Amino acid sequence: QVQLVESGGGLVQAGDSLRLSCAASGRTFSSDAMAWFRQAPGKEREFVAAITWSWIAGSRTDYADQVKGRFTISRDNAKNTVHLQMNTLKPEDTAVYYCAAGARDLRGKYDYWGRGTQVTVSS
């Protein structure tokens, strides 16, 4: 059974940083894209960042415009984990953050999802 478990959320002030982690179990995702999405209250879930890795191309990343320059996604294939370093957080970053895995490419269809971790940024 595949499981994705997020951790690292919390309540912070604007300008602070947080690091989210997602641990996958049940299968390896070293050949698949892994990503973070978020959903704010009353809004649809939106793409945040994604990462792929291959022997030929190494790591490739993609970010939503709203987080470019502030968030960094990384992965550790040996540990089957993906991380999201979030710097200079803003109140509009407040959302439930979801880890996703199993897509063929960065903006593809993700087959596996975690349950989410709450990030709240106060002004």
Side-chain angles (χ1 to χ4, degrees):
Q1 181 181 357
V2 176
Q3 280 192 314
L4 301 178
V5 179
E6 303 95 337
S7 61
L11 171 63
V12 297
Q13 293 186 330
D16 286 350
S17 298
L18 272 178
R19 179 177 169 87
L20 303 184
S21 296
C22 172
S25 61
R27 60 160 283 187
T28 58
F29 292 100
S30 57
S31 299
D32 300 319
M34 301 185 79
W36 290 94
F37 289 75
R38 68 186 181 186
Q39 187 168 19
K43 296 187 177 181
E44 294 187 352
R45 185 170 61 193
E46 64 177 5
F47 171 82
V48 175
I51 185 168
T52 61
W53 182 87
S54 71
W55 287 107
I56 297 174
S59 288
R60 291 193 302 122
T61 57
D62 187 18
Y63 295 93
D65 289 341
Q66 309 92 296
V67 306
K68 278 181 183 177
R70 299 189 298 122
F71 290 12
T72 302
I73 189 169
S74 61
R75 65 191 291 166
D76 185 338
N77 285 338
K79 296 182 178 180
N80 218 19
T81 58
V82 63
H83 306 280
L84 186 68
Q85 178 66 43
M86 306 186 294
N87 298 329
T88 320
L89 283 161
K90 304 176 181 180
E92 51 264 43
D93 294 319
T94 295
V96 177
Y97 283 71
Y98 297 91
C99 174
R104 294 289 215 130
D105 50 61
L106 293 165
R107 296 270 185 153
K109 177 182 177 293
Y110 287 86
D111 295 324
Y112 303 98
W113 294 83
R115 293 188 175 185
T117 185
Q118 177 70 48
V119 172
T120 304
V121 185
S122 64
S123 57

